[in-house]
Structure formats: structure tokens, C-alpha cells
Amino acid sequence: MSEKIIGAAKPRIDGPLKLTGRAKYSSDNNLDGMVHAYGVFSTIARGEITNIDTRVAKQSPGVIDIFHHNHFPALYHTPSSMAQENKVDEVRLPFEDNHVYYAGQFVALVVADTFENARAAAYKVKVDYRESPAIANLDQAVERGGTQMHEKANHTRGNPEQAYQDAAHTIDATYVTPVETHNPMEMHATVAAWNDGRLTMYDTTQGVVNARNVFAKVFGLAPDRVEVLTPFLGSGFGGKLWPWPHAIAAAAAAREVGRPVQLVVPRQEMFTTTGHRPETRQRLRLGTDEDGRLVSVRHETISTTSTVDQVGTYVESCGKMTQGLYTCDNLSVTHATTRANRGTPTSMRAPGAAPGMFALESAMDEMAHQLGMDPLEFRRRNYADTDESKGLPWSSNHIRDAYDQAADRFGWDQRNPKIGSMRDGNEIIGWGMASCNWEALRRACDARVSLRADGTAFASCATQDIGTGTYTIVAQAVSDVTGVPLDKIEVELGDSSYPSGPISGGSWATATTLPAIAEAGRKAIEVLKTYAAMESGSFPDAKPEDLSYEDGQLSNGAGKSMPFAEVLKARQLASADGEAHTEGAPTDTYAFRSFGAHFVEVRWDPGISNLRVTRVVSAIDVGRAINELTSRNQVEGAIVMGIGMARFEQTEYDHRDARPVNNNYAEYLVPVHADQPEIDVILLDYPDFKFNEFGARGIGEIGITGLPAAVANAVHHATGKRIRDLPITMDKLMDS
């Protein structure tokens, strides 16, 4: 059965629900008696609230209450621990005090009978401030407040400084990436309802279990008194991993007014109060010997963090992939943060690795250019046989095969290395490449699988499908173990009351969830055998261990077989149920990572200053792809997001007062259909059975890593301009 279903290109089983509009997203839940909340957001980036005048707003139609720091219930802090599954991004409780830490911070919340009335009243709330000078960007933050080093994120081996001084060839370059904002199509939203002291949250979260635990801590409840439901999510890219103040505020308001409350964060404030990828400045110093082998690597990162909390600092770990991707005896990776008046940063697709690999892979290209060596050959020459940062063997590493297959498909051997030498009419063609890399993670997980008397199977786990195809691959795993066809398998996810499952982030949901699902399926089969071997069962003369199960049938080895549904019906049983718990990967034995390579073509027309990314070939080594269709889709989406990072995306702030100036979909540029290149994704098939029984590692993040560098390297090949600060805008390419 496994060869038929695992790895097959199956359409998403939740597709019909989404296409017909029957899939309910968080803000689609219209509960009886529900009212609406709308925020009042700070217009300054730093200071104190001196007065909030709600008199006019309270007289507006439909207004029920207006909450702020002088009128809000007492709440509790959460320890904010990922290990304990109660993490938040912004540790400050909503309306905790009168301090303003960033523009767009929640300073009040209007609750009214309709969304329109709540919004109209929010505009009438008058807030007076005592404003202080704000820190608007990384440069200002370093100048005024300095930096804070984060030793836990750092790594050193050998003597990189001395090795750099002794190197035959060196480069020393600084790379800059701007703030990027997640901007999923579905905005952050919460519907909160209380019933007899129990809290139900329909919430846009990438982690229903973590969210449940956070809300329980904040409201002083036992976790079983809170239920978080997210059956469908309109993506999150990391911005919906952990709860934000709006969700807590909605739940508190619902308890105060005694009615369900819906709160949707406006797009404009999704640029301020629900996270972003922070600004980074990275210095790369590489040294090689005469043969082009790395003898020294130094990767130093400074990233911005917020002033909201001095303890729970977010660190953009840009050097994490640098530690082990290439072989080098002398290496140092350091991370520092500096505080600016912006909302708290958070994980964004391939956190750390996306900006970090832009810097590393750009530097690798620069070094190859200085050496006069093919960029692909330079990377091949510095292949790492083991993870030198951990002193462990790779569980599986086929990056050289990824290089070979992608280069062959792309036609890399036809590349003329001379700058600007490849032309097609008015366009200059540039070819660039980069490695891609992401850690492979697997956590503990619980799951439940049932074989039912109607011939169907059921599976549940408190993980969630954020648009990546989790429903479908869970069904594939159930089918693989039980033999039940996909159209007879029901999967339920996104409910914190189900067996505990992982967050949908870090590319670990698949690798974590499927082993638990498979084990639960096997346990359901063992229960079925026990039922069949009972005195009143279908095989009363057999012992459970003597029965075999294959493709939905129980057999006794003597010619008698029976479908599992008939076995259950014979005893008037509704189902045979299995529950399982599986642990994480053995990280003390092997180093687990995924690998790949991007090859990119750009076309530059200097006459009209037009740059296009026209072709991308990517080969990805993520073990076994459970579903070829959804896996390919994940990589394609990551590539497009990488093009956005390379060419378009940046959240801009007024340097005078730290307020965002392009916090809307009109001016925050992302790739559209016209920017879509020809994309060819090669999925290498090397199952990593040291990682899990399916041989599958995560695929959501890796496709964006290295892609911006491959674009920048192609731009350099076409134009001769080395762009070290993203995005690559036209003004940076025009001749001065």
C-alpha cells in the first residue's frame, strides 16, 4: 500500500470545502449574540498616554463598552516558554500600562453591536500623549542604545581571526535586509466566547495547543477549561505562531460584556502589532587557501528587536545555517540585537536562514568571483561531510546530487562567466545560483485513529493545516497503515481538545505528526484483532497475534478473511480506536538538515531599466516527499516569496518618528502573477529513515533560503553591480 499512497501526487482532501466556501475560517464564526471589537491604535511610536477621552465615542450608536489601561480587567502573565508550550510574541499584556512602545500599538478597544459601529466609535476616541524621541531603524538603535550580544545563539570553533589573516584570498562585506511583514491573505482574527467559566476561541493561530495554554495562563484557568479551534487558516508565514495582544483583549472583553466578541485586526495594523521579520545588518568575512577551500568564516549579525520587553528578546539567528553548511575548521557566528520603537519581531518563513543565507550565499559568490572559479565548483569544493558545528554525522545529505541535477536541468554548463556577456536582443541575461538549507526538526506528538463500522477511518490531532496540505498527508498516512482509501478517511485537525500536536511552523508538522498517526493506526488494528479474537468475535478460535491485517482485511492464515467493518459489525461495535504518542528525533546521534540548490535567470533591459526574474530551477533534498503535488506547491510558493524578498518587500518607516509609511497592500510590494517566472522544482527522493519511519523531513521553509542570493548573484552576472542591501530596486541598478 505504501508505494501507492506515500509519495503520490494526491489533490487536497479539503479542497472541495475551500472551493465551495464551506470551510470556516476564524472570522466566519458568527455566534449567537456576538458583538464586535475594533482597536484604537497609537499614533506615536514612543511616549506615554496622558489622557483617553471616550465621552463622544460612548455616545455613538451601538457602543457597549470601551476598554483601555484605566478600564480593563486584571490578567496574568504567561512564562512564555516554547518548551512548555505557552509562548507569546509580545509579552506585555494588552492595556497593561500607559506606555507606548511603537506606532500602531493597541491603546483602547471599542466593543459595539456591529463592526461598522465599533470602527466608527474607535475613530472618535481621543488620546493625548506625552511623546518622546523614537528610535526608527537599526542605525539609530545602534547609535543610541548599542547592541546586546546573545551567546546562546553564537558558535565558534578553531581560530577564525588568525586563519583569516593567514588566508590566501579574503573578502569582507556587509549585507543588509529590511523589515518584512508577513501579510497573509487572512487577517489576524479572534472570536471569543465564555460559557460557565469556559473559554472558547476561534483564533487565527498556527498552534492551537500553545494558544490554549497561553489563554489558560492569562485568565488563570485549567487548560481543559479552554478550547482553541482553527480548522482552517488563511496562511500565517510565522506571524500566527504565537498569540498577540488582540486575541487576549478579545477574550477579556467578551468576559466583561458577557457576549461573544469578534475582533479582526485591520491590514494597516498587521504591520505594527502582529510581528515582522526584523531588519538585519550582517558582516561576512571569508578566507580561502589558494585552491579555494575555506579556511576562515566569520558571520556577524545585528538585528532589530522591540523595546516592549527587555527579557524576551527576539533574535534573528542569521548564522545558524552558516555553522554547518560548508566545511571550515575556523568559524565564528555571532548574533546581537538592538532595540527600536517597532512592534515585537517574530518568526517569518525560514527565520534567520532567509536573511542569513542571502548574506552567506552572496559572499560565497563574491569569493568565487575573486578566485576566478565557477560558483558551483566553489561550493562543491567546500562540501561538509559532517555537521562540524555539532560534531555529528548527517542523517542524510545529498546536496551534491541537488547541485548536479539542478545545474543539468538549468543548463549551467552553458554559462559565460564574463559580466554582461549573455544577451538576447535588448536584454542582458544573468545566471546565478545558491545553496539552500534548513534544519530538520521533529517533536513529540499524540494522535488518534479509529477504524469505524461503516468502513471508514477517522484521524485526529491537535495540529492544524495552515494551507500546506496537512489534512491530505495525514489521510495518506492513515491509508498507508490501514489500507482504507482516501475518500473514506475523515481527518479532523485544529482543535486543542484533540490529542496534543505540534505547531505548524519550523517545517516540523509533517515529520512530527505522521509517525504518531501511523502508530495510532497500528494500535487501532491491534484493538481490532483483540475484538475479533474474543469469544463472540469473528475469529473466536484465534489469538490476536495470530491474525494478520492487510488492505482493510483481517485474516487468520487459514483462508478466512474479513473486512474490518464486518468484524466490528459482528460485535455491534462502532469502532476500534488507537491512540499513540511518539517522541522527537535522536538529535544526539545525527545532525538533521535539508539541502538544496537554486539556479536563477534574470533579464535586465538597461534601456528601460527593467529587471525580470525569468527562470528558476531548484533541486530540493528533503527526504521523501509524502505528497508530490503539495510538496512541489510548497517549494514553488517559497520561491515566489524569495523573489519578493529579493526584489520587492520592505516595510518602510519614517526616520523621524518611526511610523510605518507603506503599511498597506497598495504600497507594500509583493510578487504578482506578472512577476511569476518559469519554475522547475526537482524533488530528490532519498528517504531519511533515521529521522522517521516515513523518511520525510519538512519542506515549508527551505525553498526561500538562498533564493534572494541566487537572484542577487544573477543580477551581478548581468549588470556587474553587487547589490548587498535588499530589495534589489531599479535605482540600485541604474548608472549614476
Side-chain angles (χ1 to χ4, degrees), residues 632-647:
R632 195 178 303 279
N633 177 254
Q634 281 294 291
V635 178
E636 290 169 348
I639 287 169
V640 173
M641 196 167 175
I643 292 170
M645 184 177 182
R647 292 276 291 108

Side-chain angles (χ1 to χ4, degrees), residues 239-270:
K240 295 173 182 174
L241 278 172
W242 323 113
W244 292 99
H246 69 270
I248 296 170
R255 187 171 64 174
E256 292 300 299
V257 303
R259 296 171 68 175
V261 167
Q262 181 189 96
L263 192 160
V264 178
V265 179
R267 177 69 62 183
Q268 191 172 24
E269 266 59 53
M270 282 176 57

